Amino acid sequence: MLADRIPWVEPYKIKMVEPLKITTREDRVKSIKEAGWNTFLLRSEDVYIDLLTDSGTNAMSDYQWAGMMLGDEAYAGSRNYYHLEDNVKKYYGYKYLVPTHQGRGAEHLLSQTLIKKGDFVPGNMYFTTTRQHQELAGGTFVDVIIDEAHDPEALHDFKGNVDIQKFEDLINRVGAGKIPYITVGAPVNMAGGQPVSMANMKEVYELAHKKGIKVVLDATRNMENAFFIQQREEGYNNKSIAEIHKEFCSYSDAATMSGKKDLLINIGGFVAVNDWDLFEELRNLVVVFEGLHTYGGLAGRDLEAMARGIEEAIKDENITHRVRQVEYFGNLLKNAGIPIVLPIGGHAVFLDAKRFYEHLSQLQFPAQKLAADLYVESGVRSMERGIVSAGRDKVTGDHKYPKLELVRLTVPRRVYTQTHFDMTALAVIELYEKRKEAKGLKMVYEPTYLRFFQARFEEL
Ligand SMILES: *Cc1c(COP(=O)(O)O)cnc(C)c1O
C-alpha cells in the first residue's frame, strides 16, 4: 500500500480552517518581553504555529461536533454520561467512572482519597500536576523510573519503564503500609514521551499486589503507548491498539485521565476504578470540587464529545498517523544534527537545551530561553520542561535541578500539516546555527505552585 510508504499520511481531510496571524520579528520581540520571556504568558493570537501543548488543542471531527448537538444538559443522569461510562468500560475496562473537568481534577480526587500525611507515592518520573496533588495531600513523590530515562541520548525501546529494583528498595525502606499506590504514566511525558512495556507494567502490578499496594495508571496518552508496544514488543505485532490498550489497563486498579490528550477533545477527564469502596469515596468528593458525579464539571455536550473521542482515538489508523507525524517532525531535526531526546517520543519532540545552549548554566534557564528565542525567531510556541518546571524541593527550598533541561515541541492532534512541521524544523535549524549568541535569563517573579505557568523573567 502507498500509505505504508508515507506512514504519517492523514486518515482525515479538512472541513473547516482557522486563519493564522503572520507577525514580524519586531512584533514578537515586543510580545515576548510583555510575557516576561514565558511562552505561557503569550497571547495565542500572537502565535503562528502553537506547539505549546497537545492538551485540549485537538481538532474535533464532524462526528464529535454532531455529538455536541446531542448534549443532554440535565443536572443529573445525562444520557451522555452513560455513553461515556459504556465506552470507558468497553475500551479501558474499569468498572466505575467519575468524570472530572480535566486530568488534574481526577488527580486531586484520587490523591485526597488515597494519600495520608507522611505517605510515599512512587512513580515513573514526576508529572507536574500529579506530584503537586500528591504533595498537597501530604505525600512525598519518589521517582522510580529506570536511569536511562534521565539521559536524553540513551537509546531504549521502553525508556519509560519502572525500575523494579528502585520500587522494591522503596518498599523495603519505608514499608508497604506507607505506600498507598504507585503511579505509572505511559508514555512518560517529562522523559520525552517514552513508552512503558507491557512486561514491565505486568511486573509492577505483580510486585505491588504482593505487597498490598495499588497501581494507578496515568492513562492520559495510553493509546499512544499501545502503539509503541505494537511496534516494539514481542507478541503484540498482530494485536490492535484497542486490545493492547485494554490489556495494559488491566494491570492497574485505577486510572486518572486527561481526555484533553488522547481523546481528541478540548476539555474533560475522568478517574476510573475497579473498587466499589474507593468509587464511593470519589463520588462523595467529586460533588465538593467538580460537580455531581454524572457530570463532574463538564457540560453534557463535553461528555458526549469525550465518549465519541474514545471511539475515534482508539482506531489503529488514528494512532499510527499521530505517532508517525511526531516521528516525521523529529527526524527532520535529528537528521539536521539538532540535539533532541532520543528515541523520538509519542506526542512531542524535545530539544535538549543543555546541549543546544551549551554555554548557559542551568541557573540561566537555558530551556526557558530557548523556547522564548524560538518564538521570537519564528512565531512557533513551545514550552520549557527543565529547571523551571521542576520547581523547588519542599524541604530545602532550593531548585530541584533536574537532569533533563528540555524544550517541548508538542504536536496537537489533527491540527497541523507536514508543511507546518517543515517550517518549524527550519526555524529550529536556523536558531541552532546562531546558538552562541544567546544570552541567559534571570527569574524576576516566582509563583508558589506550578511556577512554570506564570513565572516571569528578564534577559541577562
Ligand atoms: C496533561 C497531563 C496531566 C494533567 O491533565 P490536565 O488535563 O492538564 O489537568 C496528567 N498527566 C499527564 C501525563 C499529562 O500529560
Side-chain angles (χ1 to χ4, degrees):
M1 270 228 331
L2 264 178
D4 293 339
R5 279 152 55 192
I6 308 179
W8 58 91
V9 76
E10 290 82 358
Y12 51 82
K13 60 183 177 176
I14 297 164
K15 186 168 337 216
M16 193 187 283
V17 298
E18 185 180 339
L20 294 172
K21 188 167 116 184
I22 310 286
T23 52
T24 65
R25 194 170 199 286
E26 232 180 355
D27 297 332
R28 296 192 294 269
V29 168
K30 187 163 165 283
S31 301
I32 199 74
K33 282 189 181 154
E34 278 171 14
W37 297 88
N38 185 344
T39 52
F40 276 103
L41 300 178
L42 288 167
R43 290 173 187 238
S44 143
E45 259 191 352
D46 298 327
V47 171
Y48 178 46
I49 294 176
D50 202 349
L51 307 183
L52 182 74
T53 173
D54 62 336
S55 179
T57 52
N58 306 300
M60 293 209 298
S61 67
D62 49 1
Y63 176 61
Q64 287 175 295
W65 278 108
M68 297 279 281
M69 289 304 292
L70 301 174
D72 170 4
E73 306 306 342
Y75 190 90
S78 155
R79 69 167 166 260
N80 312 113
Y81 167 79
Y82 293 104
H83 186 196
L84 179 65
E85 188 191 37
D86 284 347
N87 279 354
V88 169
K89 276 189 193 156
K90 181 170 168 194
Y91 294 102
Y92 289 78
Y94 302 103
K95 287 191 196 136
Y96 310 112
L97 167 75
V98 177
T100 57
H101 76 283
Q102 60 183 89
R104 73 199 66 182
E107 291 167 347
H108 174 217
L109 299 180
L110 198 79
S111 302
Q112 290 296 329
T113 315
L114 291 178
I115 300 172
K116 293 188 304 298
K117 201 169 171 350
D119 279 349
F120 294 84
V121 190
N124 55 343
M125 200 172 270
Y126 83 100
F127 184 73
T128 53
T129 57
T130 318
R131 185 178 67 192
Q132 185 70 67
H133 279 298
Q134 291 166 351
E135 288 181 354
L136 285 171
T140 300
F141 168 81
V142 182
D143 187 10
V144 294
I145 202 166
I146 57 172
D147 288 338
E148 285 90 334
H150 292 282
D151 176 358
E153 292 173 87
L155 294 177
H156 191 298
D157 274 354
F158 293 100
K159 214 171 159 179
N161 277 356
V162 172
D163 187 324
I164 300 291
Q165 192 59 51
K166 285 186 192 169
F167 180 28
E168 209 163 356
D169 288 348
L170 178 72
I171 299 172
N172 292 335
R173 185 160 63 82
V174 305
K178 284 249 174 267
I179 307 175
Y181 63 92
I182 177 171
T183 311
V184 180
V188 185
N189 192 347
M190 302 300 284
Q194 303 296 336
V196 175
S197 72
M198 190 73 83
N200 185 250
M201 187 63 177
K202 223 164 147 175
E203 236 186 309
V204 168
Y205 187 68
E206 279 160 12
L207 174 61
H209 271 224
K210 211 168 68 192
K211 304 283 181 181
I213 297 167
K214 284 187 164 52
V215 178
V216 174
L217 174 64
D218 182 339
T220 296
R221 295 185 184 80
N222 199 54
M223 294 179 191
E224 291 166 13
N225 196 70
F227 175 77
F228 287 111
I229 291 174
Q230 188 187 53
Q231 298 299 308
R232 298 178 185 172
E233 195 162 351
E234 213 181 303
Y236 289 94
N237 208 290
N238 291 320
K239 295 215 160 119
S240 67
I241 297 294
E243 286 171 292
I244 299 168
H245 171 69
K246 198 166 174 183
E247 183 188 338
F248 202 89
C249 293
S250 77
Y251 303 126
S252 67
D253 303 286
T256 54
M257 179 69 196
S258 169
K260 301 172 71 172
K261 321 289 170 59
D262 259 358
L263 302 186
L264 304 167
I265 50 173
N266 305 121
I267 192 74
F270 60 77
V271 47
V273 301
N274 286 328
D275 182 88
W276 174 265
D277 294 336
L278 177 56
F279 172 59
E280 286 245 283
E281 280 186 60
L282 291 166
R283 206 166 52 161
N284 258 303
L285 211 55
V286 74
V287 296
V288 182
F289 292 105
E290 306 272 319
L292 195 71
H293 61 279
T294 56
Y295 75 83
L298 297 169
R301 53 182 173 267
D302 300 326
L303 295 167
E304 187 59 29
M306 180 151 52
R308 292 180 178 220
I310 296 176
E311 295 162 23
E312 284 189 1
I314 197 89
K315 292 194 175 130
D316 278 54
E317 66 266 28
N318 175 65
I319 299 290
T320 303
H321 158 68
R322 157 76 178 149
V323 181
R324 292 295 190 203
Q325 188 183 45
V326 174
E327 187 183 39
Y328 167 79
F329 173 42
N331 277 331
L332 294 175
L333 297 175
K334 184 180 144 196
N335 296 338
I338 307 295
I340 61 169
V341 174
L342 294 173
I344 296 161
H347 67 302
V349 177
F350 292 72
L351 305 177
D352 183 354
K354 263 191 190 162
R355 280 184 290 154
F356 203 107
Y357 282 166
E358 246 172 355
H359 60 292
L360 300 184
S361 77
Q362 196 165 22
L363 276 174
Q364 294 176 320
F365 308 108
Q368 186 75 29
K369 187 58 175 8
L370 180 51
D373 287 346
L374 181 62
Y375 169 72
V376 169
E377 223 30 61
S378 62
V380 172
R381 173 154 71 170
S382 57
M383 172 196 300
E384 192 261 11
R385 288 275 94 146
I387 188 168
V388 184
S389 295
R392 288 183 184 274
D393 187 291
K394 72 174 182 174
V395 181
T396 67
D398 194 8
H399 299 288
K400 281 192 160 120
Y401 302 99
K403 287 206 186 95
L404 298 177
E405 184 68 29
L406 309 176
V407 168
R408 190 180 80 181
L409 296 152
T410 336
V411 178
R413 296 166 190 78
R414 307 194 289 205
V415 172
Y416 294 115
T417 65
Q418 185 170 336
T419 326
H420 287 121
F421 293 107
D422 291 347
M423 198 225 80
T424 303
L426 211 57
V428 174
I429 292 163
E430 285 183 7
L431 193 60
Y432 190 62
E433 279 159 10
K434 51 181 183 182
R435 62 193 177 278
K436 298 216 165 62
E437 297 162 26
K439 295 193 211 88
L441 295 172
K442 67 170 187 226
M443 204 186 314
V444 293
Y445 167 66
E446 180 176 357
T448 315
Y449 299 120
L450 303 174
R451 64 182 183 177
F452 59 96
F453 282 131
Q454 288 147 345
R456 300 184 71 86
F457 300 81
E458 275 169 17
E459 200 171 28
L460 288 172

